[in-house]
Amino acid sequence: MIEENHTKVTKALIQKNKTISFMESCTSGLLASMFTDTEGASAVFKGSLVTYSNEMKIQAGVPEQIICDYGVYSAECARAMAETVQKIYKTDVAVGITGTTGNVDPNNCDSVTGCAYFCIRIGNENKDFYIEEDVKNLTRSQIKKLYADEVYKKMLENLKNK
């Protein structure tokens, strides 16, 4: 059986003794769930926040001005999410992700179906990423998995250098 990227990431962080946290919106906790599929994850996984609404992002610590200036679906928001969750949990690595998983979001005029932004923060370094996929034939669960797989692919690439 081929080892999936999320398992490789978890094992790499365990081996390096590097802690991790997540702030998720469009993946609804899937990143954290996948991370903890690997035995020993509790040694490095500190916690996760699922902040599906703008209000919860702001309450957790994402500056409201970021959402007002750039929109909730932006690299700036994903970066602020990663920085916020890293500060809350005091982790070596943090991930923030925001995007849409289907219909255009009626609460946020900047939503585009099949688009997500995520930031991987390692130490004080931010790596920003954008996903744009044709998702019209996918379920919401499939879209979340697609996004999560892309996050883990990029995490694996970026952890090799750390």
Side-chain angles (χ1 to χ4, degrees):
M1 183 171 158
I2 297 174
E3 191 173 61
E4 293 191 56
N5 284 340
H6 67 276
T7 302
K8 291 177 183 176
V9 166
T10 305
K11 287 181 177 180
L13 289 175
I14 292 168
Q15 182 181 21
K16 296 172 186 267
N17 196 32
K18 298 286 185 189
T19 56
I20 189 167
S21 57
F22 300 93
M23 184 182 280
E24 302 180 61
S25 185
C26 59
T27 50
S28 307
L30 183 58
L31 292 173
S33 178
M34 291 170 75
F35 189 86
T36 59
D37 285 346
T38 302
E39 186 175 339
S42 63
V44 296
F45 177 64
K46 295 299 177 188
S48 181
L49 300 175
V50 177
T51 55
Y52 212 66
S53 69
N54 294 0
E55 177 186 9
M56 289 299 101
K57 288 174 186 65
I58 294 164
Q59 188 173 336
V62 172
E64 184 174 7
Q65 199 62 47
I66 295 283
I67 294 172
C68 290
D69 290 349
Y70 301 100
V72 71
Y73 305 123
S74 65
E76 292 82 3
C77 185
R79 189 177 318 122
M81 291 168 71
E83 291 170 355
T84 297
V85 78
Q86 184 183 46
K87 182 178 178 181
I88 290 169
Y89 289 108
K90 298 174 180 48
T91 56
D92 302 304
V93 179
V95 177
I97 185 167
T98 181
T100 57
T101 54
N103 300 348
V104 171
D105 181 352
N107 295 315
N108 293 288
C109 63
D110 59 339
S111 70
V112 178
T113 303
C115 296
Y117 294 87
F118 66 97
C119 176
I120 300 169
R121 184 167 169 82
I122 302 173
N124 292 322
E125 183 181 356
N126 293 321
K127 298 278 189 166
D128 299 323
F129 300 93
Y130 177 67
I131 302 169
E132 184 175 9
E133 294 287 339
D134 179 2
V135 297
K136 66 178 171 262
N137 295 318
L138 300 178
T139 66
R140 290 171 74 89
S141 293
Q142 290 169 325
I143 296 166
K144 289 190 287 188
K145 178 77 164 72
L146 180 138
Y147 291 168
D149 287 343
E150 184 64 18
V151 170
Y152 278 108
K153 175 183 162 192
K154 294 300 185 187
M155 282 180 63
L156 191 60
E157 290 171 8
N158 282 276
L159 286 171
K160 287 182 180 178
N161 304 326
K162 302 295 176 193

